[in-house]
């Protein structure tokens, strides 16, 4: 009898819980069903319908024109912002400076004068400066302590390595694949197929100026390949 007395309260609690769960389930179902109820039709007065009928409706041509304006008005600036830098990137940086004289520049970008160069260099010295199109170019000091009247482009004609001067061998020796050039820059050993490019050295109010070499290459008797 005591066991049955204990079970009665427990059964009552279980029944109350079941009833609560059922009520919660019903409430949830009602809320979900309410979300799918179709909205009631909205009655528009006849006066508004007539006014709407009189509103301007653009024809197909005007719609297309408006769409094009919106399209290019939104996309155009973006394409321009992205495309212009890309096109400028593809243009060689020195392509506009090769057709006229440019000053010889130090690594820091300072213009070089004959006086300053000869005051710090001796006969036989060959040192790199910035030349036409920004290429590394040798200035050579000849006998009588004068700057040679042409500069020698240091870019190897094989794969574009910068070729150092080897004083002991009296040659330009490429460290990449062994190409060799004599003291004028003429190729004497491959795999480089061509001699080093040349540029005239001129005087402009004391400044050293490089100008394009367009005449026959005196080393080969041929037209310059770099033009």
């Amino acid at each position: 009898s005591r066991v049955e007395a204990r079970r009665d309260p427990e059964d009552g609690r279980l029944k109350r819980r079941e009833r609560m769960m059922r009520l919660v389930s019903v409430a949830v179902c009602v809320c979900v069903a309410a979300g799918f109820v179709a909205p009631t039709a909205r009655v528009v007065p006849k006066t508004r319908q007539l006014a709407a009928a009189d509103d301007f409706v653009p024809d197909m041509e005007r719609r297309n024109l408006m769409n094009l304006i919106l399209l290019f008005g939104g996309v155009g600036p973006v394409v321009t912002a992205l495309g212009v830098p890309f096109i400028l990137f593809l243009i060689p940086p020195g392509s506009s400076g090769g057709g006229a004289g440019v000053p010889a520049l130090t690594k820091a970008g300072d213009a070089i004068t004959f006086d300053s160069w000869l005051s710090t260099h001796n006969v036989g010295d060959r040192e790199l400066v910035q030349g036409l199109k920004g290429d590394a170019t040798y200035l050579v000091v000849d006998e009588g302590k004068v700057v040679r009247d042409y500069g020698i482009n240091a870019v190897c004609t094989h794969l574009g390595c910068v070729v150092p001067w080897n004083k002991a061998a009296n040659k330009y020796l490429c460290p990449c694949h062994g190409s060799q050039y004599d003291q004028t820059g003429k190729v004497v050993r491959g795999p480089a197929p061509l001699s080093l490019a040349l540029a005239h050295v001129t005087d402009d109010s004391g400044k050293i100026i490089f100008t394009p070499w367009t005449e026959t290459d005196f080393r080969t008797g041929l037209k310059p390949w770099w033009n």
Side-chain angles (χ1 to χ4, degrees):
S1 60
R2 292 182 179 179
V3 174
E4 292 177 355
R6 292 178 179 176
R7 288 179 178 176
D8 290 339
E10 292 179 359
D11 292 341
R13 285 195 294 270
L14 291 175
K15 290 179 180 180
R16 285 195 296 271
R17 289 180 182 177
E18 290 178 359
R19 285 197 297 270
M20 289 296 295
M21 292 297 294
R22 289 175 183 174
L23 292 174
V24 171
S25 299
V26 171
V28 171
C29 292
V30 171
C31 292
V32 172
F36 291 96
V37 175
T40 57
R42 186 176 178 181
V43 179
V44 180
K46 290 185 178 180
T47 54
R48 293 188 182 179
Q49 292 178 358
L50 294 175
D54 293 335
D55 289 343
F56 171 74
V57 178
D59 57 18
M60 185 58 68
E61 292 183 359
R62 293 185 179 180
R63 290 181 186 176
N64 292 337
L65 179 60
M66 293 171 64
N67 290 336
L68 289 175
I69 293 173
L70 292 175
L71 175 62
F72 288 104
V75 177
V78 177
V79 173
T80 302
L82 296 177
V84 171
F86 180 75
I87 294 173
L88 293 178
F89 174 78
L90 296 178
I91 300 175
S95 60
S96 61
V102 299
L105 302 177
T106 64
K107 294 179 181 178
D110 299 323
I112 301 172
T113 64
F114 284 92
D115 290 341
S116 64
W117 191 259
L118 294 174
S119 66
T120 56
H121 295 80
N122 298 315
V123 174
D125 285 350
R126 298 166 186 260
E127 188 172 332
L128 290 172
V129 298
Q130 295 183 49
L132 295 175
K133 300 182 181 180
D135 288 346
T137 304
Y138 281 101
L139 281 180
V140 183
V141 179
D142 283 334
E143 293 292 338
K145 205 171 184 179
V146 295
V147 177
R148 184 175 293 184
D149 60 0
Y150 63 87
I152 302 172
N153 192 307
V155 178
C156 182
T157 59
H158 180 219
L159 291 179
C161 299
V162 174
V163 182
W165 169 254
N166 188 301
K167 189 174 182 179
N170 197 38
K171 295 178 183 178
Y172 297 98
L173 304 180
C174 182
C176 297
H177 301 95
S179 298
Q180 298 183 11
Y181 307 85
D182 69 11
Q183 58 92 19
T184 65
K186 180 181 179 180
V187 63
V188 294
R189 177 180 174 181
L194 301 166
S195 300
L196 298 176
L198 300 177
H200 288 291
V201 171
T202 60
D203 187 339
D204 182 6
S205 301
K207 294 181 180 179
I208 298 177
I209 303 296
F210 288 117
T211 59
W213 186 293
T214 58
E215 61 268 35
T216 300
D217 185 346
F218 69 89
R219 303 165 301 182
T220 62
L222 303 173
K223 293 182 179 180
W225 61 264
W226 53 88
N227 289 336

